[in-house]
Amino acid sequence: MSTAPQRILIADDEPLARQRIQRLLEAHDGYQVCGEAADGNDTLHKVAELEPDIVLLDIRMPGLDGMEAAEKLSQLNNPPAVIFCTAYDHYAIQAFEVQAVAYLLKPVRREALADALARAGKINRVQLQALNRDSETSSEQIAVRTHRGTELIELADIHYCEADQKYVTLHHSRGETVCDYTLKELEQAYPGQLLRIHRHTLVGARFIQALRRTGDGHNELELRGLPNRLAVSRRHASSVRQWLQEHQPSP
């Protein structure tokens, strides 16, 4: 039994930009362009009329801009997944505040679009609705600039963050991403989700499994789903033990 193609609305005030996106989409099976919009208000009308699964949305458009349109879309009972396609990289933080699945920089590359569409396909409308209605379980994301544009990484998918010289590598469920944030910035921004275990390392708290002591007296941390253990400095061992005591289930 074949699966119905995902319906896509292309929203951009430049006709040539809409045509280019349409050509890129023709190279991907499983997607169907159901309509086009030329500004933010037009986007809202077309979403109501056509009920697309995904909206490829420009930001700078006349009248209601793409960010304002995305905010209104996020409040719908059945919101489509939003992928921003823009020439400007400084809206990335706002992008994940309105639950965008991805943030692509123009000219959009075929590989980057494919990756974004795959992520959009994993988030169905019911999940998006739940994310937008329940702030306690909302999906927090970190915006990271990469060679492909700005990548949005789910905070809940990060196993650990490792500093090496002037860069920090985020180790997450989809691989590794180098970012220009410092560990201190990440620690301060997400104190409940990222725990410091070493001068060079933060870990995703939800993956912490156990603290082990090695034969030579050092501490190591086991993370769920990872074969290797991470070094815990003597300075941070007590805070890790306290975290484990507070979060281990009672017998």
Side-chain angles (χ1 to χ4, degrees):
M1 181 177 174
S2 60
T3 304
Q6 293 218 295
R7 294 161 52 80
I8 294 179
L9 175 69
I10 302 173
D12 197 303
D13 62 321
E14 298 179 6
L16 290 177
R18 297 198 299 269
Q19 291 172 20
R20 185 176 188 278
I21 291 291
Q22 178 137 8
R23 286 197 302 271
L24 289 176
L25 287 169
E26 289 172 356
H28 301 287
D29 294 330
Y31 302 97
Q32 174 189 3
V33 175
C34 64
E36 297 182 4
D39 57 47
N41 286 313
D42 192 19
T43 299
L44 298 181
H45 292 147
K46 292 290 176 58
V47 166
E49 176 189 351
L50 302 172
E51 297 186 348
D53 300 296
I54 302 169
V55 178
L56 299 179
L57 185 60
D58 189 20
I59 291 181
R60 290 200 177 177
M61 295 188 292
L64 193 72
D65 69 19
M67 197 61 66
E68 293 168 322
E71 186 175 0
K72 291 183 180 296
L73 290 176
S74 72
Q75 296 167 6
L76 296 176
N77 286 334
N78 294 303
V82 171
I83 297 173
F84 282 112
C85 302
T86 176
Y88 306 93
D89 64 2
H90 53 275
Y91 294 100
I93 300 298
Q94 292 173 264
F96 69 79
E97 288 176 353
V98 294
Q99 304 295 342
V101 173
Y103 188 98
L104 306 180
L105 288 179
K106 295 178 178 178
V108 175
R109 297 174 55 200
R110 182 179 298 176
E111 299 83 358
L113 179 60
D115 181 62
L117 290 172
R119 274 184 276 161
K122 293 176 183 176
I123 304 177
N124 62 37
R125 292 182 175 192
V126 175
Q127 290 170 319
L128 279 171
Q129 181 179 345
L131 290 176
N132 287 308
R133 285 189 170 183
D134 190 346
S135 61
E136 291 186 1
T137 59
S138 65
S139 176
E140 290 190 81
Q141 298 169 309
I142 297 177
V144 180
R145 293 180 185 179
T146 71
H147 65 282
R148 296 185 298 180
T150 300
E151 182 178 355
L152 299 179
I153 298 172
E154 298 286 341
L155 185 62
D157 288 344
I158 295 177
H159 298 119
Y160 62 100
C161 314
E162 186 176 37
D164 180 18
Q165 297 179 359
K166 64 177 181 177
Y167 294 106
V168 169
T169 300
L170 307 178
H171 299 261
H172 50 88
S173 59
R174 293 189 289 112
E176 300 177 1
T177 303
V178 176
C179 71
D180 56 3
Y181 299 120
T182 66
L183 288 184
K184 185 175 181 180
E185 287 173 332
L186 292 169
E187 183 180 23
Q188 290 175 343
Y190 307 104
Q193 296 96 326
L194 298 175
L195 180 68
R196 174 82 67 165
I197 66 167
H198 194 281
R199 183 161 57 98
H200 301 300
T201 316
L202 299 173
V203 299
R206 67 192 297 267
F207 292 101
I208 294 175
Q209 184 161 308
L211 184 66
R212 306 295 185 192
R213 199 165 181 83
T214 64
D216 54 3
H218 292 99
N219 292 298
E220 293 181 340
L221 191 66
E222 284 185 8
L223 296 182
R224 283 201 321 274
L226 291 186
N228 56 312
R229 296 178 180 178
L230 302 177
V232 179
S233 67
R234 187 170 300 175
R235 177 183 174 187
H236 294 98
S238 60
S239 61
V240 175
R241 289 193 190 94
Q242 182 179 349
W243 190 95
L244 283 164
Q245 289 171 359
E246 292 175 353
H247 293 83
Q248 282 180 334
S250 54

